[in-house]
Amino acid sequence: MKHAWIAALAGCCLLAACAQKIETPTGASVPDIGWLFTGQAPYTLSTKVDAAPGPATLQLVTDLSLMADTPEVVLSRDVTIAPDSTLIVALGELAPGFYEVRLRDSVRWNIGVRPDAVVSVPDPQPDFDAFWEQTIADLDRIPLEAVWTEIPEFSNELRTCYEVRYPSWGGGISGGILSIPVAAGKYPVYLQYMGYGAPVFYFDPTAAPDHIDFLVSVRDQGIFKGDQDRWIDRGLAAKENFYYRGAFADAKRAVDFAASLEKADPERIVALGESQGGALTCVAAALDGRIKAIAPAVPFLGDYPDYAKIVWWPVHEVFEQADQEGIAREDLFRMLSYFDVKNFAPRIHCPVYMAFGLQDPTCPPHTNFSIYNNLGTQEKRYYCVPTCGHAMWEVPAWSAERDAFLSAF
């Protein structure tokens, strides 16, 4: 099976997984560990590997060919692993992008070159804006009649917790978990969008008594999730019926709800999320300018055509369903372009701080930067954990960076 970008770091390197970071273009950085190159060529790979000392063969494969029958090898070298496990290889000049390093038969890891120069050209259909304007116009005609149910076990004298449900686009129901200060006043609102099928959690009412937290559940996920575990292949035959039309509308409706709160400061609404939550964060900011800043991590749903060239899931799950329905690839990608987050990115004008894991096997870095490099804002920066895969939520340093960034708004 052609599962690329495997997060098998235990057999790859001697550095601790999800350790160290590179932050550019602003802020303090620790030394580059040799896997992400942000300067000009020539480049040299210098790292330690979990492999026996001695001669070896090293190949560099482009990420956009990893799903091909014959991946594109841009460099092949005979190298020597030193007795202390050090590997130093002159790479010379490399085009901006991401590459898989293949050492001997079993050691694999990923490197990146000038990610902010990676090109993913937006491909919106001519009626992209009209389609979403109509969707939001339909949403705006639906009264925001929220039903609040208190959850006493996650409430105290500082904040009260509620499960909230309200109608959304197309007859769908969305909502989430709200933690709101008891004291009178106006508070910033943190919208937290959830990952694909992620479990619901509840906020510690004592942890952040100075702001409002809202864990957003889009339709059929979060607080609405039953036994189902697949949404991305629903309604593939037409853009009008694709699952993410409703889910993206739900992301926008969460902003409506936040702005409607009596204790909300409408000038201090920010958003964050990881994976699908990162995608929903970006889409919400694109569809509603009331969001003042966003911090997406490893955002999902960026650049469907290239996604399919890098990893098997999720695009090939979509392919399988499309094949069952007799939908041609050209028609499928045309439909998906209405929901490609890279096509929403130019509409995002607030400050952005994006995190990614260089070893991500689920939302590979190329797809993250298809969004980042097309943002409509110049107030942007990214945070890289070179040894991390998809689980940016396991990186306390990123959480601290993200919270410090959002607290400024």
Side-chain angles (χ1 to χ4, degrees):
M1 186 175 292
K2 303 175 185 175
H3 289 282
W5 293 80
I6 301 299
L9 290 178
C12 168
C13 66
L14 296 178
L15 294 168
C18 294
Q20 303 198 39
K21 59 109 175 183
I22 298 172
E23 177 191 337
T24 64
T26 62
S29 298
V30 298
D32 190 327
I33 63 170
W35 293 356
L36 184 68
F37 304 99
T38 60
Q40 298 298 317
Y43 305 113
T44 298
L45 177 64
S46 178
T47 188
K48 288 194 174 184
V49 294
D50 189 5
T57 299
L58 179 143
Q59 291 184 328
L60 211 57
V61 175
T62 60
D63 67 333
L64 292 177
S65 72
L66 286 170
M67 293 303 300
D69 291 333
T70 305
E72 180 187 2
V73 178
V74 297
L75 181 150
S76 182
R77 295 272 171 83
D78 291 328
V79 299
T80 300
I81 302 170
D84 67 351
S85 300
T86 297
L87 175 68
I88 300 176
V89 184
L91 302 178
E93 295 196 14
L94 293 171
F98 299 94
Y99 302 84
E100 181 178 82
V101 180
R102 298 182 173 183
L103 182 66
R104 293 184 175 141
D105 294 329
S106 59
V107 181
R108 302 283 188 272
W109 76 97
N110 311 313
I111 65 172
V113 175
R114 297 183 59 209
D116 56 356
V118 172
V119 175
S120 268
V121 179
D123 58 356
Q125 301 301 312
D127 64 339
F128 178 90
D129 287 339
F131 174 76
W132 284 105
E133 287 167 5
Q134 183 61 58
T135 301
I136 299 309
D138 294 343
L139 176 68
D140 288 343
R141 285 192 287 270
I142 300 170
L144 183 59
E145 297 173 341
V147 176
W148 300 36
T149 303
E150 185 175 346
I151 305 176
E153 56 267 41
F154 293 99
S155 303
N156 64 12
E157 71 282 0
L158 297 176
R159 291 200 297 180
T160 306
C161 181
Y162 299 91
E163 181 181 282
V164 180
R165 298 173 180 241
Y166 42 71
S168 186
W169 178 87
I173 302 295
S174 57
I177 303 298
L178 177 70
S179 186
I180 191 166
V182 173
K186 295 289 187 179
Y187 298 90
V189 182
Y190 284 57
L191 298 174
Q192 185 157 336
Y193 292 94
M194 299 179 67
Y196 192 79
V200 172
F201 66 87
Y202 297 86
F203 300 100
D204 178 351
T206 304
D210 57 347
H211 66 249
I212 298 168
D213 282 311
F214 187 43
L215 181 68
V216 181
S217 291
V218 298
R219 61 194 60 201
D220 299 332
Q221 296 191 52
I223 64 173
F224 309 105
K225 182 178 179 292
D227 296 333
Q228 57 210 326
D229 59 4
R230 286 175 61 155
W231 300 271
I232 197 170
D233 56 356
R234 295 187 187 180
L236 297 178
K239 64 183 183 293
E240 290 79 9
N241 301 322
F242 186 47
Y243 170 79
Y244 278 103
R245 186 183 191 189
F248 285 1
D250 295 346
K252 197 274 184 192
R253 173 115 293 198
V255 187
D256 296 336
F257 174 70
S260 75
L261 296 172
E262 182 180 351
K263 292 183 178 180
D265 180 346
E267 297 301 316
R268 300 188 68 191
I269 299 174
V270 297
L272 63 150
E274 293 152 336
S275 193
Q276 177 189 257
L280 295 172
T281 294
C282 292
V283 170
L287 295 177
D288 199 315
R290 289 175 292 182
I291 294 180
K292 302 306 179 184
I294 61 173
V298 292
F300 190 35
L301 308 178
D303 202 335
Y304 284 99
D306 282 353
Y307 219 134
K309 299 174 183 177
I310 304 172
V311 293
W312 186 263
W313 190 90
V315 178
H316 284 75
E317 191 168 89
V318 174
F319 283 175
E320 291 167 4
Q321 182 63 33
D323 289 346
Q324 290 181 25
E325 297 182 30
I327 302 170
R329 288 288 186 270
E330 181 180 359
D331 295 334
L332 175 65
F333 279 121
R334 184 182 303 110
M335 189 282 293
L336 290 173
S337 71
Y338 289 89
F339 308 93
D340 192 326
V341 181
K342 77 176 180 186
N343 293 332
F344 287 88
R347 301 175 56 151
I348 299 173
H349 299 290
C350 65
V352 178
Y353 196 2
M354 184 190 80
F356 75 103
L358 190 55
Q359 311 304 318
D360 195 335
T362 304
C363 298
H366 177 93
T367 66
N368 303 160
F369 279 89
S370 73
I371 300 166
Y372 183 88
N373 289 342
N374 286 302
L375 288 169
T377 180
Q378 296 302 309
E379 294 184 67
K380 62 181 183 179
R381 52 180 166 149
Y382 64 80
Y383 181 105
C384 171
V385 182
T387 55
C388 197
H390 191 58
M392 285 300 301
W393 51 88
E394 295 179 354
V395 183
W398 161 241
S399 299
E401 290 269 342
R402 177 198 65 206
D403 294 348
F405 168 74
L406 293 175
S407 68
F409 298 93

